[in-house]
Structures are given as structure tokens and as C-alpha cells.
Amino acid sequence: MPFCSFDRDAGMYDVTPIENMFLLEYLPTAPDEFLRVYLYARMLALHPELGDGMDELARALHMDSDAVYNAMSYWERQGLVRRLTDRPPTYALLPVIPSVSGPSNPMESDYYEYRDFNANLQAIFGSELLQPKQYAMANDWINILGFTQEAVLKMVEEKYRRSRARKPQGFFNRLNETAAQWAERGVRTVEDVERALESDGRVEKAAAQVMKRLAMNRPATADELKLVSCWLNEWNLSIEDVLAACAETTKSRNPSLSYLNSILESRRSGVDERFRELQATLRELGGSEPPTPDQQRVYGELLGQGFEPETVRLAAVQCARRNRHTFDHLTAMLSKWAEMGLTRFDDADAYVQAMTRMTAEVRALLERCGASRSPRMDDLQLYERWIADFPRPLIDYAADCARGMDKPMLYMDKVLSEWKKSGVSTADEARAQHESRARSEVPAAGKPNPALDYAQRSAAETDYSSRIVDLSEYDEQDGEA
């Protein structure tokens, strides 16, 4: 007994014909909603009085107009419908069996050539209608990249099953990159695709392990998966190699796959000279962590500005002497050095030595004044001006005169300025003037000493920062007030 037959009392009145070829070739792969629209459209072709337009067809099938339009577009691509007008859309149903002479135009020829392929491709996405752009992209994978039809269907089906994307447009755009990469690796057949999928599965597994090891509780992004793929497929590292390198990222406050990539890249290249130079510089600052990718980038920019590696390291030493241990402190000092043209090591070293000598000389002056503190920046600024205007013996005598003063450096600046105004140029002349004034201006009991009546210079008058950079080991404090 056959599976289906007409009952003997079933009449054949008002039949909508459906070709057996349609049932054999189109029915198995057609999405359910698209099939409903096609069958109802066949009936309307015989009975136009039952519906006039897409909206009425949509109401009859309890569907929305967009879904009906997508269905008719699907059958148009299958070569069973031809659009006659756009506004409003009208269609002519075509015979299922092509004419003996074949399709009349190239577009119909393409549809017929890839009819089964296109139908199977659409079936993967169900009611999510593929657009001509997606079909063209898939056909390019066949005609340009060299995939077989079966390989493309396998690739699309498996990737779509694993993907979170449900919309064909975004999915195809991403898959287009994958298809190009696979084609470069020689993927062509279903067997090739299966091996590539296995490789991608290995990448996804490794990425999940890395994310867990780095305590990053989320799935890897597309860019992160590309990094993992590079490590495994291009650099030929094992998952064990990658996981072992994760241990080094614990030294960073913000571990990431980019940071891990810099570690693996350094290992792969044998840790290049620049990396070692920067590592030595960071050790001078007192750090023990490996350089971060951002620090490597900034270090490369410093070298690009003309700084010699020895200059950068010298600046790190000076920062550490002043208890400044961050990379930001280092870049701030180098920014000032760049303004002064101190990019070559010889120039920077000469400057540092000159500043060191000046610091020692100011320290000796402070001791001569009886002050038990370290030199400060404002001291160096004053001293630089003095040595340009006065002989050293005169400066030393000014220190003797300032002994016991609360603010000896400012007192020295006051008396030196007065000596300059009165034409005093030697220590003997200064001593004679000072002693003479002291004898003639002995203050009465209870009255202030006029020698102590001096005004502090304004910030503008004592701003020599354009000529001196704070390099030495002294503590940075506020100047005398």
C-alpha cells in the first residue's frame, strides 16, 4: 500500500498543481515559512480574487509583510519567481523544469548553476533570509578562493553553529576573513575544512585556558583569538608554552593577552637588545617587573627623538637618587632634557657632573653658614647666578657674614647684591665695608638689627628653572620664605 493516496471519495475539484520536480528538489531544503508563501502564491495565481497584493497574502498566512517579501525574494533567487514590478511588488511564477534552451540571461544561469548550493546555504540560516551580497560572497569562495561547494557549506554550517551571531550579515563579514586565511593555508575540500575547524577548536580551547589562567572571567574576543592562533599556528608554540608564559604576567597589575603577547614575542626573538636596555633602565628605577608593551612603545619613541640608551639609563639613575622611582618620573625628566638638547650621553653626563659639583659646593656653603640641611633647588638657582657675577672668595665671605641667620642663602643674596651696587668686587673690600658698617650701625638695646631687614625675592626674580634641572640626590622641599 502506498504511503499517500487519494481517498476514493476525494474529489479533484479546484486543484493547485505542484510539480513533482519541486517536491523532489526544492521542498527538502526550503524554510517552512518560505514554503507556505510559495504554495499560497501558486493558489493565488489561479484565483487572484482571493488576494490582491502582498499585505493581503500576509494577513491570510498570519505573517508580516516583510516576511512575505523575504520569502518571495528567496524563490526569486531559486529561479522559480520573476519580479515584474517593484512598487507595488508583483511576480510571475516560473515553471520548475527549465526550458530546453536554458536560462535566457546570465543572472538566471547563475541561479540555476548554484540552485542547490544556494538552497542548502539558506537552509542553514532558517528564516533569516540571505541577501544577494552573502550569496555573492559564498560564490567567490568557490570561484576565486577555490573551495568546493561542499567545503563552503561545511565551513558555514560549523562556524554558524559555534557563533553567537544570528544575523547573516555580520556572520558572513567575519567568515569572509576566515575563508581568506584558510585559503592561504591551502584549505579547499571538506577534509581540509574539517582539519581547519579542528585547529580553530584547539585555538578556542587554548584561549579559554589562557583567559582562566589570567583570571579574566569572560570569553576571548575575536582579536584575542587571532593572537592565540598566531602563537599556535604561526609561531608553532604549544599550549604548554603559552600557559607557562602566563606566570610572568602576574608581575603586572593589569595582565592581558597583549601583555602576554609581548612576553612570548620577546622569548621567540631571544629578547632583543632594546628590550634588555629598557629592562636595565627600569632596574635603575628600582623596578623588577618586565617592561610593559606601553613602556616599550614610549621607550621606542624616546630613541626616535634622538636619546641614546645610555642617556635614558643615566636619567633613571638620577631619578632614583632623588627617590623618584616611576616610569612617569623618568619621562618627565627626559622631557626637560630634550628641551635643553641633552639627548647624547656625553652631553647629559657632563651636565650631571656639573650639577653634582655645584651641589657639593652649595653644601659646603651651607656648612660655612652653619646650616645643617641639604641643598635645595632654590639654593642651586641662587648659586648659579652668584658664580656668574661674583668671585668665589667673595661668595665665601658672604657665607661667613650669614652665619647664624635663619635664612642664610637669602641673606647672602641680599649682601652680595648690595656689594655689587656699591662696587665691591673682592673679599677684602667686602670685609672692610662690612666691619665699618657694623661699627657704625650698632643697634640700640631692644631695636632690630638693620642688617636683618631684607626682603625675600619674588618667584619671578628667582625663577631659573629654564637653566637648571633638578637632578641630584637632595630632597625637594619648599624654598626659604
Side-chain angles (χ1 to χ4, degrees):
M1 177 180 296
F3 176 71
C4 291
S5 61
F6 287 106
D7 185 86
R8 65 180 180 178
D9 295 326
M12 298 297 291
Y13 174 74
D14 197 19
V15 173
T16 297
I18 300 295
E19 297 92 331
N20 289 336
M21 184 68 71
F22 175 86
L23 302 177
L24 292 173
E25 295 196 11
Y26 294 91
L27 180 65
T29 57
D32 292 346
E33 286 193 348
F34 296 176
L35 184 61
R36 290 169 57 201
V37 170
Y38 180 77
L39 293 177
Y40 199 86
R42 292 290 296 248
M43 182 184 69
L44 289 181
L46 296 174
H47 299 283
E49 70 276 4
L50 296 178
D52 183 18
M54 188 169 291
D55 291 339
E56 290 190 21
L57 191 157
R59 282 194 295 271
L61 296 178
H62 303 290
M63 298 170 63
D64 58 53
S65 297
D66 288 342
V68 172
Y69 181 82
N70 288 342
M72 295 303 290
S73 298
Y74 169 81
W75 293 113
E76 187 178 1
R77 294 191 190 97
Q78 295 299 309
L80 297 186
V81 168
R82 182 171 65 247
R83 190 179 311 196
L84 300 178
T85 62
D86 290 327
R87 295 182 181 180
T90 59
Y91 302 88
L93 302 182
L94 303 176
V96 174
I97 302 176
S99 63
V100 176
S101 59
S104 60
N105 62 67
M107 184 66 73
E108 291 180 0
S109 177
D110 287 342
Y111 282 142
Y112 186 73
E113 180 182 358
Y114 292 108
R115 183 192 63 192
D116 292 340
F117 171 77
N118 292 343
N120 289 326
L121 195 62
Q122 175 63 65
I124 295 173
F125 295 88
S127 60
E128 290 289 346
L129 182 67
L130 298 183
Q131 301 300 320
K133 183 178 180 180
Q134 281 97 56
Y135 285 111
M137 200 177 293
N139 293 344
D140 285 346
W141 299 339
I142 297 170
N143 298 324
I144 298 176
L145 298 183
F147 286 84
T148 65
Q149 292 187 17
E150 294 77 12
V152 169
L153 292 173
K154 181 71 174 181
M155 176 177 66
V156 173
E157 181 178 12
E158 290 299 320
K159 283 292 186 179
Y160 188 66
R161 182 176 61 82
R162 303 178 188 186
S163 173
R164 295 182 177 183
R166 295 293 92 187
K167 296 296 182 181
Q169 181 176 354
F171 171 79
F172 266 83
N173 290 339
R174 285 189 291 273
L175 188 58
N176 195 43
E177 296 181 11
T178 300
Q181 294 169 1
W182 284 8
E184 290 181 0
R185 289 157 49 185
V187 175
R188 298 290 185 274
T189 66
V190 172
E191 292 75 15
D192 296 336
V193 168
E194 289 174 346
R195 284 192 292 269
L197 288 168
E198 182 180 355
S199 175
D200 281 7
R202 178 169 167 260
V203 168
E204 292 167 1
K205 179 182 177 182
Q209 290 178 294
V210 169
M211 300 298 283
K212 182 178 180 180
R213 186 68 60 91
L214 298 182
M216 300 172 70
N217 299 318
R218 59 171 178 78
T221 65
D223 288 338
E224 289 168 339
L225 287 172
K226 287 180 182 178
L227 282 178
V228 178
S229 177
C230 175
W231 301 338
L232 301 183
N233 298 324
E234 296 179 27
W235 295 359
N236 295 318
L237 299 176
S238 66
I239 295 179
E240 291 72 23
D241 293 333
V242 174
L243 294 178
C246 289
E248 293 191 30
T249 65
T250 58
K251 302 174 183 177
S252 172
R253 293 191 183 97
N254 299 304
S256 65
L257 269 72
S258 296
Y259 185 81
L260 178 58
N261 185 66
S262 68
I263 294 172
L264 292 169
E265 188 172 24
S266 296
R267 286 186 173 186
R268 179 172 173 263
S269 62
V271 187
D272 61 19
E273 186 65 25
R274 178 178 294 185
F275 188 89
R276 286 196 297 269
E277 291 166 354
L278 178 55
Q279 206 165 30
T281 298
L282 295 178
R283 282 198 294 267
E284 295 292 356
L285 288 173
S288 58
E289 296 182 1
T292 66
D294 189 56
Q295 289 171 338
Q296 293 180 61
R297 176 186 59 78
V298 173
Y299 184 69
E301 291 174 356
L302 290 171
L303 298 183
Q305 294 172 21
F307 280 102
E308 296 178 350
E310 295 83 357
T311 308
V312 180
R313 189 168 178 179
L314 176 64
V317 171
Q318 301 308 311
C319 284
R321 290 176 65 190
R322 296 186 54 242
N323 200 29
R324 304 290 186 264
H325 298 287
T326 70
F327 194 71
D328 287 340
H329 286 132
L330 174 63
T331 55
M333 177 172 285
L334 289 170
S335 178
K336 294 180 180 179
W337 283 18
E339 293 174 3
M340 301 172 66
L342 302 177
T343 56
R344 294 180 64 251
F345 173 75
D346 291 345
D347 296 335
D349 186 50
Y351 181 76
V352 169
Q353 291 183 29
M355 289 296 297
T356 301
R357 287 193 301 270
M358 187 182 296
T359 302
E361 291 168 2
V362 172
R363 182 180 288 107
L365 278 180
L366 289 169
E367 291 174 356
R368 192 161 186 158
C369 293
S372 57
R373 64 172 177 81
S374 298
R376 296 191 293 245
M377 196 64 211
D378 55 349
D379 299 331
L380 294 180
Q381 291 169 346
L382 286 172
Y383 184 71
E384 186 192 34
R385 182 166 56 82
W386 297 344
I387 60 177
D389 293 340
F390 307 104
R392 180 57 191 260
L394 189 60
I395 298 174
D396 289 342
Y397 181 65
D400 293 337
C401 295
R403 190 170 184 82
M405 297 296 177
D406 289 337
K407 301 168 184 177
M409 294 295 288
L410 290 179
Y411 182 83
M412 289 176 62
D413 190 50
K414 176 68 174 180
V415 297
L416 285 168
S417 296
E418 291 179 352
W419 290 341
K420 185 176 181 179
K421 289 177 183 178
S422 59
V424 172
S425 60
T426 68
D428 290 340
E429 291 174 351
R431 186 177 293 106
Q433 185 187 88
H434 186 72
E435 290 174 355
S436 175
R437 180 175 295 181
R439 286 193 298 271
S440 63
E441 297 181 359
V442 176
K447 293 184 178 180
N449 188 339
L452 300 179
D453 184 18
Y454 57 90
Q456 180 179 352
R457 291 177 177 269
S458 68
E461 292 175 312
T462 59
D463 183 10
Y464 310 110
S465 59
S466 63
R467 290 182 286 167
I468 293 182
V469 177
D470 193 359
L471 300 175
S472 308
E473 73 278 5
Y474 56 82
D475 295 330
E476 186 175 34
Q477 304 172 6
D478 292 335
E480 295 176 346

Short mmCIF file of all heavy atoms in Angstrom, two decimals, residues 53-79:
data_model
loop_
_atom_site.label_atom_id
_atom_site.label_comp_id
_atom_site.label_asym_id
_atom_site.label_seq_id
_atom_site.Cartn_x
_atom_site.Cartn_y
_atom_site.Cartn_z
N GLY A 53 -2.36 41.61 -3.60
CA GLY A 53 -1.20 42.29 -3.02
C GLY A 53 -0.57 41.53 -1.88
O GLY A 53 -1.14 40.58 -1.32
N MET A 54 0.63 41.95 -1.53
CA MET A 54 1.43 41.27 -0.52
C MET A 54 0.82 41.38 0.87
O MET A 54 0.88 40.44 1.67
CB MET A 54 2.86 41.86 -0.52
CG MET A 54 3.84 41.11 0.36
SD MET A 54 5.52 41.66 0.07
CE MET A 54 5.81 41.04 -1.59
N ASP A 55 0.19 42.52 1.17
CA ASP A 55 -0.38 42.69 2.50
C ASP A 55 -1.51 41.70 2.75
O ASP A 55 -1.63 41.13 3.84
CB ASP A 55 -0.89 44.13 2.68
CG ASP A 55 0.24 45.14 2.73
OD1 ASP A 55 1.39 44.71 3.03
OD2 ASP A 55 0.00 46.33 2.48
N GLU A 56 -2.37 41.48 1.73
CA GLU A 56 -3.47 40.53 1.89
C GLU A 56 -2.94 39.11 2.02
O GLU A 56 -3.46 38.30 2.80
CB GLU A 56 -4.44 40.63 0.70
CG GLU A 56 -5.23 41.94 0.69
CD GLU A 56 -6.34 41.91 -0.34
OE1 GLU A 56 -6.75 40.80 -0.74
OE2 GLU A 56 -6.79 43.00 -0.74
N LEU A 57 -1.88 38.79 1.26
CA LEU A 57 -1.28 37.46 1.39
C LEU A 57 -0.72 37.27 2.80
O LEU A 57 -0.87 36.21 3.42
CB LEU A 57 -0.17 37.29 0.35
CG LEU A 57 0.40 35.88 0.14
CD1 LEU A 57 1.02 35.76 -1.25
CD2 LEU A 57 1.45 35.53 1.18
N ALA A 58 -0.10 38.32 3.34
CA ALA A 58 0.47 38.25 4.69
C ALA A 58 -0.62 38.02 5.72
O ALA A 58 -0.47 37.21 6.65
CB ALA A 58 1.26 39.52 4.99
N ARG A 59 -1.76 38.72 5.59
CA ARG A 59 -2.86 38.54 6.54
C ARG A 59 -3.43 37.13 6.46
O ARG A 59 -3.76 36.52 7.49
CB ARG A 59 -3.95 39.57 6.27
CG ARG A 59 -3.63 40.96 6.80
CD ARG A 59 -4.86 41.86 6.80
NE ARG A 59 -5.33 42.12 5.45
CZ ARG A 59 -4.90 43.14 4.71
NH1 ARG A 59 -3.99 43.98 5.21
NH2 ARG A 59 -5.36 43.34 3.49
N ALA A 60 -3.54 36.60 5.26
CA ALA A 60 -4.09 35.26 5.10
C ALA A 60 -3.23 34.20 5.78
O ALA A 60 -3.73 33.22 6.33
CB ALA A 60 -4.26 34.95 3.62
N LEU A 61 -1.90 34.40 5.76
CA LEU A 61 -0.98 33.42 6.34
C LEU A 61 -0.56 33.77 7.77
O LEU A 61 0.28 33.08 8.35
CB LEU A 61 0.27 33.30 5.47
CG LEU A 61 0.04 32.75 4.05
CD1 LEU A 61 1.36 32.73 3.27
CD2 LEU A 61 -0.56 31.35 4.11
N HIS A 62 -1.13 34.86 8.31
CA HIS A 62 -0.77 35.33 9.66
C HIS A 62 0.73 35.59 9.77
O HIS A 62 1.40 35.19 10.73
CB HIS A 62 -1.20 34.29 10.72
CG HIS A 62 -2.65 33.97 10.69
ND1 HIS A 62 -3.64 34.85 11.08
CD2 HIS A 62 -3.31 32.84 10.25
CE1 HIS A 62 -4.83 34.29 10.93
NE2 HIS A 62 -4.67 33.07 10.41
N MET A 63 1.23 36.28 8.77
CA MET A 63 2.63 36.67 8.73
C MET A 63 2.70 38.18 8.51
O MET A 63 1.70 38.81 8.17
CB MET A 63 3.36 35.94 7.58
CG MET A 63 3.38 34.43 7.72
SD MET A 63 3.99 33.59 6.21
CE MET A 63 5.67 34.22 6.12
N ASP A 64 3.88 38.75 8.73
CA ASP A 64 4.02 40.17 8.42
C ASP A 64 4.52 40.32 6.99
O ASP A 64 5.05 39.39 6.38
CB ASP A 64 4.95 40.89 9.40
CG ASP A 64 6.34 40.31 9.46
OD1 ASP A 64 6.97 40.17 8.39
OD2 ASP A 64 6.82 40.00 10.57
N SER A 65 4.33 41.52 6.45
CA SER A 65 4.64 41.75 5.03
C SER A 65 6.13 41.55 4.74
O SER A 65 6.50 41.06 3.65
CB SER A 65 4.22 43.17 4.63
OG SER A 65 2.82 43.32 4.76
N ASP A 66 6.99 41.93 5.68
CA ASP A 66 8.43 41.75 5.44
C ASP A 66 8.80 40.29 5.28
O ASP A 66 9.63 39.93 4.44
CB ASP A 66 9.24 42.36 6.60
CG ASP A 66 9.20 43.88 6.59
OD1 ASP A 66 8.86 44.45 5.54
OD2 ASP A 66 9.50 44.48 7.64
N ALA A 67 8.18 39.44 6.09
CA ALA A 67 8.46 38.01 5.99
C ALA A 67 8.01 37.47 4.63
O ALA A 67 8.68 36.63 4.01
CB ALA A 67 7.77 37.25 7.12
N VAL A 68 6.86 37.95 4.13
CA VAL A 68 6.38 37.52 2.82
C VAL A 68 7.33 38.00 1.73
O VAL A 68 7.65 37.26 0.79
CB VAL A 68 4.95 38.03 2.58
CG1 VAL A 68 4.51 37.75 1.15
CG2 VAL A 68 3.98 37.39 3.57
N TYR A 69 7.77 39.24 1.86
CA TYR A 69 8.70 39.79 0.86
C TYR A 69 10.00 38.99 0.84
O TYR A 69 10.55 38.68 -0.23
CB TYR A 69 8.99 41.26 1.19
CG TYR A 69 9.93 41.92 0.22
CD1 TYR A 69 9.46 42.43 -0.99
CD2 TYR A 69 11.29 42.03 0.50
CE1 TYR A 69 10.32 43.03 -1.89
CE2 TYR A 69 12.16 42.62 -0.39
CZ TYR A 69 11.68 43.12 -1.59
OH TYR A 69 12.54 43.71 -2.48
N ASN A 70 10.51 38.62 2.03
CA ASN A 70 11.73 37.81 2.09
C ASN A 70 11.52 36.45 1.42
O ASN A 70 12.42 35.94 0.74
CB ASN A 70 12.16 37.60 3.55
CG ASN A 70 12.73 38.86 4.17
OD1 ASN A 70 13.11 39.79 3.46
ND2 ASN A 70 12.77 38.91 5.49
N ALA A 71 10.36 35.88 1.64
CA ALA A 71 10.07 34.57 1.04
C ALA A 71 10.04 34.67 -0.48
O ALA A 71 10.63 33.82 -1.17
CB ALA A 71 8.74 34.04 1.58
N MET A 72 9.39 35.68 -1.02
CA MET A 72 9.34 35.83 -2.47
C MET A 72 10.73 36.11 -3.04
O MET A 72 11.07 35.64 -4.14
CB MET A 72 8.38 36.96 -2.85
CG MET A 72 6.92 36.67 -2.49
SD MET A 72 6.26 35.14 -3.21
CE MET A 72 6.17 35.60 -4.94
N SER A 73 11.57 36.85 -2.28
CA SER A 73 12.94 37.09 -2.71
C SER A 73 13.72 35.78 -2.75
O SER A 73 14.56 35.56 -3.63
CB SER A 73 13.63 38.10 -1.77
OG SER A 73 12.98 39.35 -1.80
N TYR A 74 13.45 34.92 -1.77
CA TYR A 74 14.12 33.62 -1.74
C TYR A 74 13.77 32.82 -3.00
O TYR A 74 14.66 32.27 -3.67
CB TYR A 74 13.69 32.86 -0.49
CG TYR A 74 14.10 31.41 -0.47
CD1 TYR A 74 15.39 31.04 -0.10
CD2 TYR A 74 13.20 30.40 -0.83
CE1 TYR A 74 15.78 29.71 -0.09
CE2 TYR A 74 13.57 29.08 -0.81
CZ TYR A 74 14.87 28.73 -0.45
OH TYR A 74 15.26 27.41 -0.44
N TRP A 75 12.47 32.74 -3.33
CA TRP A 75 12.07 31.96 -4.51
C TRP A 75 12.55 32.62 -5.79
O TRP A 75 12.82 31.93 -6.79
CB TRP A 75 10.56 31.77 -4.52
CG TRP A 75 10.09 30.92 -3.38
CD1 TRP A 75 9.33 31.29 -2.33
CD2 TRP A 75 10.42 29.54 -3.17
NE1 TRP A 75 9.14 30.23 -1.47
CE2 TRP A 75 9.80 29.13 -1.98
CE3 TRP A 75 11.17 28.60 -3.89
CZ2 TRP A 75 9.91 27.85 -1.46
CZ3 TRP A 75 11.27 27.30 -3.39
CH2 TRP A 75 10.66 26.94 -2.19
N GLU A 76 12.71 33.94 -5.75
CA GLU A 76 13.27 34.64 -6.91
C GLU A 76 14.71 34.19 -7.14
O GLU A 76 15.14 33.97 -8.28
CB GLU A 76 13.21 36.15 -6.65
CG GLU A 76 13.61 37.00 -7.85
CD GLU A 76 13.49 38.49 -7.56
OE1 GLU A 76 13.13 38.86 -6.41
OE2 GLU A 76 13.79 39.28 -8.47
N ARG A 77 15.46 34.03 -6.04
CA ARG A 77 16.84 33.57 -6.19
C ARG A 77 16.89 32.10 -6.60
O ARG A 77 17.88 31.66 -7.21
CB ARG A 77 17.59 33.75 -4.87
CG ARG A 77 17.77 35.21 -4.49
CD ARG A 77 18.74 35.35 -3.33
NE ARG A 77 18.72 36.71 -2.84
CZ ARG A 77 18.01 37.13 -1.80
NH1 ARG A 77 17.30 36.26 -1.12
NH2 ARG A 77 18.04 38.38 -1.43
N GLN A 78 15.87 31.36 -6.24
CA GLN A 78 15.83 29.95 -6.63
C GLN A 78 15.44 29.77 -8.09
O GLN A 78 15.48 28.66 -8.62
CB GLN A 78 14.85 29.18 -5.74
CG GLN A 78 15.24 29.11 -4.27
CD GLN A 78 16.57 28.40 -4.08
OE1 GLN A 78 16.76 27.29 -4.58
NE2 GLN A 78 17.49 29.05 -3.37
N GLY A 79 15.05 30.86 -8.74
CA GLY A 79 14.70 30.79 -10.15
C GLY A 79 13.28 30.35 -10.42
O GLY A 79 12.94 29.99 -11.55
#
